Amino acid sequence: MRHSHLADLALSFPALLFALAVPRPDVDPERAIACVIAGRPLAEAAAAAGLPLWLRKLPPEAFVRPIPPLPDGELFRRQIGNHLPRSPKLMPTWLQLVAEMAALAHEPAAVWIAREYLRAPLVLKRDRMHLLGLWIWFSGQPAGFGRELVERPWTPAMKLDAAMTAALAWRGKVSLHLNLGQRPIRDMWLHPGRVGDYEFRPLDDIPDLVDEAMTMRNCVRTYGSDIAHNRSRLWSVRHLGERVATLEVAVRFPDPLLGIVQLKGRGNADVARELWWIARRWLHLHDLSQIETGRMKWRQAPVDLTTWRMLWRPYWLAKRRIPDWLPLAPSRAAFAAL
């Protein structure tokens, strides 16, 4: 109603019309509106509105909220056209994902999420976007603590489910370090010992836990939070120097005394009755009535401050901000949300 040139945008550039009607909080639309009314090129008006020109290809159905900042590199513009949604129902979420991944990681990752969301829209869990973005970003770093924890780095050829599996594996290693820090576990509750030819060794630091997980093909490196909250301790059982089982000890209600919770062989296989008897003989070499585990309420154990800042500092510096979802002070709630 203000001017026919503005009305023409409904057909020639719906995204720009929307951006002028529903601007982002950080954008004053009046300069762009003046450009349109004055008959300036659409590229100039779009730049004034902080809008990439490639959005001309999207219909009005794509826009349901203020359009976030979007990538606009030359290579990105050439690639994104191959991954535009055909279904109007997918467009709003698709656009939000592209913007979010570009901010979390980089432009190649934004192209990738555009493709993967269209390929398998039901696979993507929106609450895992921060984790995916962090893992992708750290995958591309040449060095650093966060990069060292990446077992399988991101590549543009990855499918979404494979990427999520790799990101969760990275999160598991990050969790172990944030929970246990750089020092060995001070109180293992029990003492190393032998029963016949069997030896019981403490898994009291991160290298030992990772080595046990790889050798025994089990998930002990996911136990960081349990250990930090004094809910369990893990031991390696050796026979004549060779690993034969992994042992978890803990207090389980209603028994107030420490007991054997798990005793598993390689690949979580069941072990022989004899080994259970050996493990109980070792356990009962201790005065269980004097052992207090100091069990904490869930999510009350502190996160290691040094590890937290060493891990995330490169990301904060690269992005030139400390996002609310990844704060400067260690936050177990923030990490749990990744």
Side-chain angles (χ1 to χ4, degrees):
M1 293 177 67
R2 286 180 62 176
H3 198 280
S4 61
H5 290 174
L6 292 171
D8 289 343
L9 294 177
L11 294 177
S12 62
F13 200 165
L16 180 56
L17 179 60
F18 186 90
L20 300 180
V22 190
R24 296 197 306 268
D26 61 333
V27 174
D28 181 0
E30 290 305 319
R31 180 166 164 258
I33 290 173
C35 286
V36 174
I37 292 175
R40 306 295 300 171
L42 287 179
E44 185 177 330
L51 205 67
L53 204 58
W54 60 265
L55 285 180
R56 285 192 71 181
K57 299 178 181 179
L58 297 187
E61 291 86 352
F63 311 107
V64 297
R65 61 180 66 87
I67 302 172
L70 287 157
D72 196 28
E74 181 180 352
L75 179 60
F76 179 88
R77 289 196 298 269
R78 292 204 305 266
Q79 293 177 328
I80 197 64
N82 298 321
H83 308 296
L84 298 178
R86 294 182 179 179
S87 168
K89 292 182 179 179
L90 296 179
M91 287 179 179
T93 300
W94 177 89
L95 190 64
Q96 193 69 23
L97 290 173
V98 170
E100 192 172 349
M101 186 57 80
L104 289 169
H106 41 59
E107 290 191 4
V111 174
W112 173 80
I113 201 68
R115 181 196 75 204
E116 288 303 298
Y117 175 67
L118 296 183
R119 188 186 64 83
L122 299 181
V123 173
L124 180 64
K125 294 179 172 57
R126 293 294 305 279
D127 60 353
R128 289 299 190 187
M129 279 293 290
H130 288 161
L131 172 61
L132 270 175
L134 284 172
W135 166 73
I136 290 172
W137 188 86
F138 277 104
S139 291
Q141 300 309 297
F145 182 48
R147 177 62 180 86
E148 292 171 4
L149 301 181
V150 176
E151 292 181 359
R152 185 182 179 188
W154 174 81
T155 68
M158 270 185 164
K159 300 300 184 189
L160 183 57
D161 51 357
M164 183 57 70
T165 298
L168 288 170
W170 177 74
R171 185 189 186 281
K173 295 186 75 172
V174 168
S175 176
L176 189 62
H177 283 270
L178 291 177
N179 277 294
L180 302 186
Q182 310 300 310
R183 298 180 180 180
I185 301 164
R186 289 186 302 171
D187 183 6
M188 288 297 294
W189 303 339
L190 304 170
H191 301 293
R194 286 180 175 274
V195 176
D197 293 332
Y198 291 87
E199 180 183 4
F200 294 81
R201 296 187 189 179
L203 300 174
D204 60 358
D205 61 19
I206 292 173
D208 282 348
L209 286 164
V210 172
D211 193 34
E212 183 81 3
M214 293 179 63
T215 304
M216 297 299 290
R217 304 196 307 275
N218 60 30
C219 61
V220 295
R221 62 183 178 185
T222 67
Y223 276 65
S225 188
D226 280 45
I227 294 170
H229 287 85
N230 288 333
R231 295 187 171 222
S232 69
R233 292 292 187 267
L234 298 165
W235 292 76
S236 179
V237 185
R238 316 283 179 98
H239 181 250
L240 300 176
E242 181 181 352
R243 300 174 200 261
V244 293
T246 303
L247 169 69
E248 180 188 3
V249 293
V251 173
R252 290 291 184 263
F253 181 83
D255 187 351
L257 301 180
L258 202 63
I260 298 172
V261 176
Q262 291 192 83
L263 183 61
K264 294 289 187 178
R266 201 177 303 270
N268 286 323
D270 292 335
V271 299
R273 177 187 177 95
E274 175 194 5
L275 188 52
W276 278 95
W277 172 233
I278 293 290
R280 290 194 181 178
R281 287 170 58 190
W282 167 74
L283 179 65
H284 288 285
L285 293 174
H286 304 81
D287 185 353
L288 301 182
S289 67
Q290 299 301 310
I291 297 174
E292 294 289 344
T293 65
R295 180 178 174 133
M296 300 181 189
K297 290 183 179 179
W298 199 242
R299 293 191 178 178
Q300 296 302 305
V303 176
D304 187 74
L305 172 62
T306 301
T307 303
W308 179 271
R309 293 188 176 173
M310 177 175 63
L311 178 62
W312 305 131
R313 186 172 183 270
Y315 186 77
W316 293 330
L317 291 176
K319 297 298 180 179
R320 297 184 179 181
R321 68 189 184 97
I322 299 175
D324 293 340
W325 53 270
L326 199 66
L328 182 63
S331 168
R332 190 168 290 278
F335 184 72
L338 289 181

